[in-house]
Amino acid sequence: MKTIGVVLAGGRSTRFGEQKSLYELGGKKMYQHVYDVLSESGLCDEIVINTNEVLAPYFDYKTIIDDEDYQDYGPLGGLYAAAKAYPDDRLLIVSCDTPFITAEWLKKLHDAAVSNPNTFIVSTEDDKMHPTISVFQGTDLLDELGGQLQSERLSFKAFFNNQNVKMLDVSETKESPEIFRNINYKSDIE
């Protein structure tokens, strides 16, 4: 089974005020920070950007465009598009608005995924889930995601109800919870 790194970069960024995946932070576009960490981790056989049709031309890497039936379905829609493109592979997903993620944390997620096949490995911090920094795998992933999207219950929490999920808690490691810092507003980085 291959590991595919997936940068989720298809949101509308309405709270941010402009397209945050393309926003420059420290001299690099936000998505580039995440792409680079996935690359540096050495875990991925391939890395792709999941995005929408409008943003696709702005990325310098291979893109997977949201499925036409599930456009604007949020991160679950992006995950579905990736699972459809790579149905037999493990998907290591990281949202573009978490530029402080580390290769060390991704290795912990990946190691847990390898040890727990057919299980989703989800980042947590105490009781707070960070599902857009996780590993999704399993032979039924595409069908299960399709069913969830058809129900229009688009939260990861709803999706996880009938799944095999293992939580990996950052507080039980030497990593700082800061690696999960999510940039939703410009005030989050200024």
Side-chain angles (χ1 to χ4, degrees), residues 102-123:
T102 63
E104 292 74 28
W105 182 256
L106 298 181
K107 288 175 187 170
K108 287 179 183 6
L109 287 174
H110 188 265
D111 288 349
V114 170
S115 300
N116 296 278
N118 292 313
T119 302
F120 303 160
I121 310 299
V122 178
S123 295

Side-chain angles (χ1 to χ4, degrees), residues 93-166:
I93 68 163
V94 184
S95 61
C96 70
D97 58 1
T98 55
F100 307 108
I101 195 65
T102 63
E104 292 74 28
W105 182 256
L106 298 181
K107 288 175 187 170
K108 287 179 183 6
L109 287 174
H110 188 265
D111 288 349
V114 170
S115 300
N116 296 278
N118 292 313
T119 302
F120 303 160
I121 310 299
V122 178
S123 295
T124 62
E125 173 190 350
D126 296 322
D127 291 331
K128 183 177 181 185
M129 282 193 309
H130 297 278
T132 58
I133 307 171
S134 298
V135 177
F136 292 86
Q137 59 188 355
T139 54
D140 297 329
L141 177 60
L142 183 62
D143 291 339
E144 292 165 350
L145 279 166
Q148 190 67 37
L149 293 171
Q150 287 172 7
S151 78
E152 297 190 4
R153 295 180 64 218
L154 304 181
S155 75
F156 277 100
K157 188 174 182 179
F159 181 53
F160 291 157
N161 279 340
N162 300 312
Q163 304 298 328
N164 224 1
V165 179
K166 177 177 174 54

Side-chain angles (χ1 to χ4, degrees), residues 27-104:
K28 281 198 279 192
K29 293 178 179 163
M30 221 174 322
Y31 86 89
Q32 187 71 55
H33 287 275
V34 173
Y35 190 98
D36 289 350
V37 171
L38 282 164
S39 181
E40 290 162 14
S41 76
L43 301 168
C44 303
D45 296 287
E46 188 175 348
I47 303 170
V48 297
I49 310 288
N50 163 254
T51 191
N52 58 50
E53 204 168 55
V54 173
L55 290 174
Y58 294 97
F59 296 104
D60 298 327
Y61 304 101
K62 180 177 179 179
T63 58
I64 296 173
I65 296 173
D66 290 338
D67 188 86
E68 63 183 25
D69 292 332
Y70 302 116
Q71 293 178 20
D72 292 326
Y73 273 61
L76 281 180
L79 180 57
Y80 177 84
K84 191 172 180 182
Y86 298 94
D88 300 320
D89 297 316
R90 176 183 300 116
L91 304 175
L92 173 56
I93 68 163
V94 184
S95 61
C96 70
D97 58 1
T98 55
F100 307 108
I101 195 65
T102 63
E104 292 74 28

